[in-house]
Amino acid sequence: MMSSADAEEGFSDGVIRLEPVSVDTTPETNNFRSVDSNTGTKTDTPLMDVPQTINVVERDLFFLEGSRSLEDVLSNVAGVSPSVGDGQRDQVYIRGFVATNDEYVDGVRDSETYFRDLANIESVEVVQGPAASLYGHGSAGGIINRVTRKPSDTPVGELDLTFGTWGDERAELDDGGPLPFGHLSYRLDAAVERSGGFRNQYFLERGHLSPSIAWSPSRDTRVLVQLDSLTDRRLDDLGMPALVGLAGSGFYGTTPDVPISNYYGSPDGHKADYVLAEVNSATVTVDRKIGPDWTVHDVARTEHYTLDRNNVLPTGVYVPGGGVFDGDLSRVWVDRSGRHILRDQNDLFDQLESVWTTDAGGVTQKILLGFEVARQTAGVNSEQFGEAPVALVDPVLTDRPSDEAPSSHTWSAVSSDTAGLYLQDQIAFSAQLKALLGVRLDYFSVEQDSLIPPTVDLYSLNRTASPRAGLVWEPARNYSLYASAGRSFQPSGDGLSLAATNAELAPEETTSYEVGSKMELDGGRLTASVALFQVERNISETNPLNGIVSNVGDQRSTGVELAIAGHLSRNWSLSADYSLLDAVIVDGGYDAGSVLLNGRLPGLVPRNSASLFMVYELPRGFGIGAGMVSMGGRYTSNDDSVSLPAFTVLNAVAYYRSAHWEARLNLNNVINHRYFVTAGEGTDVTGQTVMPGAPINLGVTLVRRF
């Protein structure tokens, strides 16, 4: 408070003099939060207004973490758990349900089975819960949408070089900006990688090129053309055999206490035990503003995918001579089998969408009308071979004779047709009360023809409706409560594969209910959410008396999810998630090993999972950070015969950043914790494998911005 003398002096010449105020205009860096998303509604909508959980992992976050795979990125989303994916693809579970065929890129289905690259990815968005009202078949637990980098009028330029433990080498380029003619702008993203690994014989050879160009002939029209080419060749590694066997074998369903580098495939994995995927796509997107309240969006994509998979995998453990396992690992041997799979797939997609915005009587509506058509064709040639067993402890790897005939051979041609019509209405009754209503009508057919005797032709046709409804109430600014319900369907042939036992089955239906709250804290610098949900799906089961398969089973997931992301202060950023998931097979019938699944826990689904990553900006461009990924104990398969122990992995990062340079050190698994990250292959007491996580390792990244 000023004294009267001070006041008289301050006003003596008629001028008010104020103390100087310092304003910090330095922008906040390390943006870990997102305030809106197109994935959940296919319209630009604030996340606060979407009555569903949507987790957005921004590039700033997974770049600082040194993420090298989609699995690394998704470790930031609690409730998402990984699978080995046959050693050939990204595969996760969302809210307890497998999401193999629920991959999307810019809202268009990307169902090919391969490992995605991150060079051209701006963010990864996970919609939790059914999304069939917009995206069609699948999405029992949710979908994963990769949002690509696109041309802009702002120049960008960056070259990244990464080197790491086990001879890892990766170079990544991002270049773009306006062109000096024709209202054009471009973006070029590219990456090349040659890496090893902690597993014996592991290798990765990858090349990725993603150019795009945008043309804006007028203020109301934009045409985007994107090309993408990826070649990925790596060791097809499914891990180590689990210690599990039939009743009386003595094996008790645990991970083996052998070196985590132990590999049980070919003695020359680079030549004979690899998976090679080549994916090429072209996308044309047209956006047109018809009037102030009407826009049209059309995206057409063609994609060609080839797979050449050769692998030798563990299929079980035994003690020679029919002995019983007594704890002596040196007596254990590993059965193996070989596979050779060739797949050639072509996809065509087109989505035509129109959005109208109306305002009548104070009620605002944003109406989306969309129509999608798709045609997918694939040829699959698969052979299986017998392989000689090897010792568990010190395996001496061998190859089968080159002229050995396969023990089984299948060759088929499959095609599918999709037509979907969807309608969505986002209604704002007031600034506080909003609703979302939607439904999609789908026609989905699959035809599969066997090309070698005995020829069996299979056909499946499904016509379904997938509704969705939600309500959002905002009792205060930056705070919302919501409730939603939705339904999705999982038809036979969802992954372009049919069997005589399921071709005639009706689709498996998933019903989801969710309530939750979203809020923006500290003036919007920090976002937080909490959700309570139940997802239930009828699943197929086999009658052991007559072998008939029917959709009379039931699997249910009930849980709670918490998330927080943003800035605790200008210098301190964080992203944190936690999921508590109660997943159970309510009624599952018997599996192939005659185990009754009723009441058992679904494979690879932990009850507790959490992630945390924090970064603190130090003076003069330096920064430090730390993070963790934690996952509770899981079973590897639905019969609960093999358990994976819980784990927590600690990571750290340190970096220096200036206007044009950045240097970063990522130290992963700081305490060198031995753990098993996931499992794969095998659904009962035989043929199960477990995949160890990487030991302590270091990555060094140098960035030049221009």
Side-chain angles (χ1 to χ4, degrees):
M1 179 180 295
M2 290 190 300
S3 67
S4 58
D6 292 334
E8 290 176 1
E9 182 178 352
F11 283 99
S12 62
D13 57 1
V15 177
I16 302 176
R17 293 179 174 82
L18 302 177
E19 292 295 324
V21 177
S22 176
V23 179
D24 185 0
T25 60
T26 305
E28 292 177 334
T29 58
N30 301 328
N31 179 31
F32 295 169
R33 70 184 185 93
S34 182
V35 296
D36 53 25
S37 167
N38 184 276
T39 302
T41 60
K42 289 206 167 210
T43 63
D44 291 328
T45 303
L47 289 173
M48 293 278 292
D49 294 344
V50 181
Q52 192 169 5
T53 298
I54 301 177
N55 296 99
V56 181
V57 186
E58 297 286 355
R59 187 176 186 88
D60 276 7
L61 174 57
F62 65 77
F63 177 79
L64 272 179
E65 290 178 318
S67 296
R68 303 275 291 280
S69 67
L70 186 60
E71 179 183 313
D72 291 341
V73 175
L74 294 175
S75 68
N76 291 287
V77 183
V80 176
S81 53
S83 166
V84 166
D86 281 336
Q88 73 174 53
R89 63 181 180 270
D90 297 311
Q91 180 173 320
V92 298
Y93 290 74
I94 304 176
R95 287 185 173 176
F97 297 90
V98 67
T100 305
N101 303 307
D102 298 321
E103 294 276 359
Y104 291 78
V105 56
D106 291 331
V108 179
R109 189 179 295 271
D110 180 37
S111 60
E112 283 76 12
T113 53
Y114 67 101
F115 291 101
R116 280 79 178 169
D117 194 73
L118 303 175
N120 66 332
I121 301 303
E122 189 64 40
S123 65
V124 177
E125 304 187 357
V126 181
V127 178
Q128 306 271 44
S133 63
L134 290 176
Y135 294 97
H137 57 87
S139 71
I143 67 167
I144 301 162
N145 184 43
R146 305 186 324 277
V147 180
T148 60
R149 289 169 155 176
K150 298 177 180 66
S152 71
D153 293 332
T154 303
V156 295
E158 183 174 298
L159 177 64
D160 303 355
L161 299 176
T162 299
F163 306 92
T165 310
W166 310 301
D168 297 351
E169 299 175 342
R170 179 179 171 92
E172 192 171 311
L173 172 69
D174 178 35
D175 182 49
L179 294 171
F181 54 87
H183 305 286
L184 297 172
S185 57
Y186 77 98
R187 194 81 177 243
L188 175 63
D189 291 293
V192 61
E193 183 172 354
R194 301 290 182 270
S195 298
F198 68 97
R199 300 273 294 153
N200 290 342
Q201 299 202 45
Y202 185 80
F203 69 93
L204 168 61
E205 301 165 348
R206 166 181 282 184
H208 184 200
L209 182 65
S210 181
S212 59
I213 190 165
W215 176 45
S216 301
S218 70
R219 296 180 58 184
D220 298 329
T221 304
R222 186 172 189 263
V223 180
L224 172 65
V225 179
Q226 297 169 285
L227 304 178
D228 197 273
S229 180
L230 172 68
T231 299
D232 186 296
R233 190 179 191 271
R234 66 179 69 200
L235 186 73
D236 191 350
D237 184 13
L238 278 77
M240 305 189 298
L243 296 179
V244 62
L246 298 172
S249 66
F251 293 108
Y252 38 80
T254 59
T255 58
D257 188 15
V258 296
I260 60 173
S261 60
N262 272 18
Y263 171 66
Y264 298 89
S266 167
D268 187 353
H270 193 275
K271 178 181 178 181
D273 206 355
Y274 66 88
V275 55
L276 170 62
E278 296 179 326
V279 188
N280 297 282
S281 67
T283 306
V284 178
T285 305
V286 180
D287 287 286
R288 171 72 175 167
K289 186 175 181 180
I290 306 299
D293 303 315
W294 182 16
T295 61
V296 175
H297 170 85
D298 184 83
V299 55
R301 174 172 297 151
T302 177
E303 189 161 285
H304 178 63
Y305 161 75
T306 61
L307 172 72
D308 180 4
R309 177 183 172 194
N310 303 263
N311 74 326
V312 176
L313 66 151
T315 57
V317 291
Y318 69 97
V319 176
V324 176
F325 178 60
D326 60 1
D328 184 358
L329 294 178
S330 65
R331 298 178 58 221
V332 178
W333 281 68
V334 181
D335 276 323
R336 303 183 304 159
S337 70
R339 293 180 182 176
H340 182 208
I341 300 174
L342 295 173
R343 185 181 182 99
D344 186 278
Q345 183 171 328
N346 291 283
D347 294 347
L348 290 171
F349 293 94
D350 189 87
Q351 295 176 357
L352 176 61
E353 299 171 349
S354 185
V355 177
W356 295 271
T357 302
T358 67
D359 191 345
V363 177
T364 302
Q365 292 179 271
K366 185 183 292 185
I367 301 171
L368 167 71
L369 177 63
F371 180 64
E372 179 181 37
V373 292
R375 170 75 172 174
Q376 296 179 273
T377 60
V380 184
N381 193 334
S382 176
E383 297 176 319
Q384 285 196 310
F385 300 86
E387 300 282 351
V390 296
L392 174 68
V393 175
D394 294 308
V396 179
L397 305 178
T398 60
D399 274 331
R400 65 178 180 272
S402 59
D403 59 349
E404 180 176 325
S407 57
S408 66
H409 183 198
T410 60
W411 188 10
S412 62
V414 59
S415 63
S416 74
D417 292 292
T418 299
L421 178 66
Y422 45 100
L423 177 66
Q424 177 183 268
D425 192 0
Q426 295 172 262
I427 309 170
F429 298 102
S430 66
Q432 291 75 37
L433 186 61
K434 302 167 186 179
L436 185 151
L437 302 172
V439 65
R440 173 164 167 152
L441 307 177
D442 267 289
Y443 168 99
F444 179 70
S445 68
V446 181
E447 183 176 359
Q448 181 172 295
D449 299 328
S450 175
L451 302 181
I452 58 176
T455 57
V456 178
D457 298 337
L458 302 173
Y459 181 73
S460 175
L461 172 62
N462 297 280
R463 297 183 180 91
T464 57
S466 304
R468 175 192 190 191
L471 191 65
V472 179
W473 177 45
E474 299 181 14
R477 185 183 178 187
N478 299 329
Y479 176 68
S480 68
L481 300 168
Y482 69 88
S484 65
R487 190 173 67 199
S488 68
F489 70 102
Q490 191 88 22
S492 300
D494 186 30
L496 288 185
S497 178
L498 282 175
T501 56
N502 66 16
E504 299 296 327
L505 288 182
E508 298 176 353
E509 292 188 353
T510 303
T511 303
S512 174
Y513 303 97
E514 182 175 330
V515 297
S517 175
K518 302 177 183 181
M519 62 203 78
E520 294 181 351
L521 308 172
D522 193 18
R525 293 157 57 102
L526 198 66
T527 60
S529 65
V530 57
L532 303 172
F533 61 88
Q534 177 175 292
V535 184
E536 191 160 6
R537 186 177 82 178
N538 66 311
I539 59 176
S540 60
E541 63 176 50
T542 303
N543 188 316
L545 299 178
N546 54 25
I548 295 177
V549 180
S550 58
N551 287 345
V552 298
D554 183 71
Q555 179 177 330
R556 183 176 63 233
S557 293
T558 305
V560 57
E561 293 165 348
L562 304 127
I564 186 169
H567 293 274
L568 292 175
S569 68
R570 180 171 297 278
N571 294 46
W572 189 4
S573 310
L574 91 158
S575 171
D577 288 75
Y578 170 73
S579 173
L580 174 63
L581 186 61
D582 180 17
V584 62
I585 301 173
V586 179
D587 178 11
Y590 292 85
D591 68 1
S594 299
V595 174
L596 183 63
L597 300 180
N598 298 358
R600 297 185 182 269
L601 305 183
L604 297 179
V605 179
R607 180 175 176 84
N608 293 278
S609 59
S611 70
L612 172 67
F613 190 74
M614 298 185 297
V615 171
Y616 190 80
E617 293 273 350
L618 298 169
R620 301 183 181 275
F622 290 93
I624 57 173
M628 72 156 198
V629 176
S630 183
M631 197 163 289
R634 297 146 289 157
Y635 291 106
T636 62
S637 60
N638 290 348
D639 68 352
D640 298 353
S641 57
V642 177
S643 60
L644 289 178
F647 70 84
T648 297
V649 176
L650 303 179
N651 305 314
V653 63
Y655 61 90
Y656 166 77
R657 180 183 295 157
S658 68
H660 298 290
W661 291 96
E662 182 170 341
R664 188 182 74 241
L665 296 176
N666 288 97
L667 184 63
N668 303 310
N669 196 357
V670 173
I671 62 174
N672 201 26
H673 177 51
R674 177 187 168 101
Y675 70 103
F676 288 83
V677 64
T678 187
E681 201 62 30
T683 57
D684 51 33
V685 295
T686 62
Q688 296 196 47
T689 61
V690 292
M691 179 61 74
I696 185 171
N697 62 93
L698 178 68
V700 180
T701 299
L702 302 176
V703 179
R704 168 61 175 167
R705 298 185 177 93
F706 51 88

